[in-house]
Amino acid sequence: MNALDLLYQGKAKSAYLTEDPDLLVLQFRDDTSAFDGEIIEQLSEKGAINNQFNAFIMTQLADAGIPTHFVERLSATDALVKRLDMIPVECVVRNKAAGSLVRRLGVEEGLNFDPPLFELFLKNDALHDPMITEHHVEAFGWATREEMARMHELTLQTNSVLKSMFEEAGLQLVDFKLEFGRFHGDIVLGDEFSPDGCRLWDKVTGEKKDKDRFRQKLGGVLEAYREVAERLGIVFDH
Ligand code: ADP
Ligand code: UDP
């Protein structure tokens, strides 16, 4: 499938049209952003790592019955995906407290949530992705009540699948963000799942193995991403 015109360029990925109106080429770039795009740096090979990571996770999720946009990996940095009508809402699940939750509510990092905590944020960098509720989603027409219920259900299902998968690899899945869209009437998981959009802590040492290494300037960002991938058994072929 040949990539044609650039459809849009996000902070970390670019989307290209293809001859098929239902398909896009998603290119994972090396750009790494933090704090709603205030800081952007290039991390060599991050695009390729995240593309392979995402392909692996999306395949696992599809095997578990979760509808995803992923079709196939085209190259080191490119993936073929279904073109979704994206819903501008970020679905976050937290198994433990970290990040914005700790800042917002003043709780201790690492506090356990069982059942997991579900939160919603509006995808809007200019407004710094404000927290919203399911009522806002319905009131502003970002998604219907039924669509919201489906996103909630699929996010929790994703958490069950991935929490055990990371657990077996010696990692705690602390939290993550998902984005969904519409495809021919169905709600489908889009965007990406990679260490850029989740928190993973080593089960034994508690060491951070995700984008917090970049946000907190801890160093060894890509080494950590690669280590997580290897622990999951992902074999890099590029
Ligand atoms: P951001 O929008 O946060 O800067 P990215 O750089 O990751 O993020 O850009 C990817 C863009 O592509 C996002 O706006 C995302 O919503 C969108 N997107 C992801 N998957 C799909 C898809 N399958 N169909 C259409 N748009 C998608
Ligand atoms: N997240 C993301 N994109 C965003 C905001 C959050 O991928 O625009 C992810 C983030 O990596 C973490 C989870 O969602 O795994 C929860 O993020 P949080 O609300 O704690 O915000 P943060 O402090 O990370 O900005």
Side-chain angles (χ1 to χ4, degrees):
M1 182 63 64
N2 293 321
L4 302 171
D5 294 334
L6 179 69
L7 176 64
Y8 41 71
Q9 179 152 347
K11 295 189 293 296
K13 298 189 291 301
S14 304
Y16 293 88
L17 295 168
T18 67
E19 294 98 10
D20 186 335
D22 270 346
L23 297 173
L24 290 180
V25 170
L26 213 51
Q27 180 185 53
F28 289 70
R29 307 195 315 271
D30 289 344
D31 297 302
T32 312
S33 70
F35 313 116
D36 303 319
E38 261 173 49
I39 298 179
I40 298 180
E41 273 177 37
Q42 300 271 314
L43 292 179
S44 171
E45 283 182 54
K46 193 207 64 160
I49 293 173
N50 279 0
N51 185 34
Q52 297 217 20
F53 200 102
N54 177 64
F56 176 83
I57 299 283
M58 289 279 172
T59 305
Q60 299 289 315
L61 293 176
D63 288 350
I66 293 163
T68 87
H69 68 159
F70 181 74
V71 178
E72 62 174 331
R73 205 157 52 82
L74 296 174
S75 71
T77 55
D78 295 2
L80 189 65
V81 300
K82 291 173 183 152
R83 181 180 182 176
L84 309 184
D85 170 21
M86 294 304 289
I87 294 169
V89 168
E90 300 185 336
C91 295
V92 169
V93 166
R94 301 181 188 274
N95 295 304
K96 285 176 175 291
S100 72
L101 182 86
V102 167
R103 295 194 295 275
R104 195 176 344 116
L105 298 180
V107 292
E108 201 177 321
E109 188 178 69
L111 178 77
N112 248 316
F113 296 114
D114 189 11
L117 181 62
F118 180 70
E119 291 184 337
L120 294 169
F121 298 89
L122 178 65
K123 198 173 154 58
N124 184 322
D125 283 336
L127 297 177
H128 301 290
D129 294 352
M131 192 181 183
I132 53 172
T133 70
E134 308 203 356
H135 302 291
H136 295 82
V137 174
E138 199 184 338
F140 286 95
W142 293 315
T144 64
R145 186 181 294 200
E146 292 72 28
E147 287 172 332
M148 188 60 251
R150 182 69 174 145
M151 291 194 282
H152 188 173
E153 182 189 25
L154 290 174
T155 304
L156 292 180
Q157 233 174 296
T158 298
N159 186 47
S160 307
V161 175
L162 297 185
K163 196 173 171 232
S164 342
M165 191 191 81
F166 283 115
E167 180 93 32
E168 282 169 30
L171 294 159
Q172 294 179 306
L173 178 58
V174 173
D175 59 29
F176 62 86
K177 180 266 300 180
L178 299 181
E179 291 179 31
F180 293 90
R182 305 176 185 91
F183 188 75
H184 296 288
D186 287 325
I187 291 292
V188 171
L189 175 62
D191 204 50
E192 71 178 279
F193 190 104
S194 75
D196 268 3
C198 70
R199 288 192 169 91
L200 295 165
W201 295 350
D202 185 281
K203 230 162 69 174
V204 178
T205 64
E207 205 181 4
K208 295 175 177 166
K209 305 282 183 190
D210 53 67
K211 197 176 175 182
D212 271 349
R213 300 203 70 82
F214 177 74
R215 294 189 190 98
Q216 300 173 9
K217 300 194 190 329
L218 300 173
V221 182
L222 291 188
E223 288 79 358
Y225 284 27
R226 268 199 211 95
E227 185 195 322
V228 171
E230 275 160 22
R231 287 208 213 176
L232 291 174
I234 300 172
V235 180
F236 290 104
D237 56 10
H238 288 279

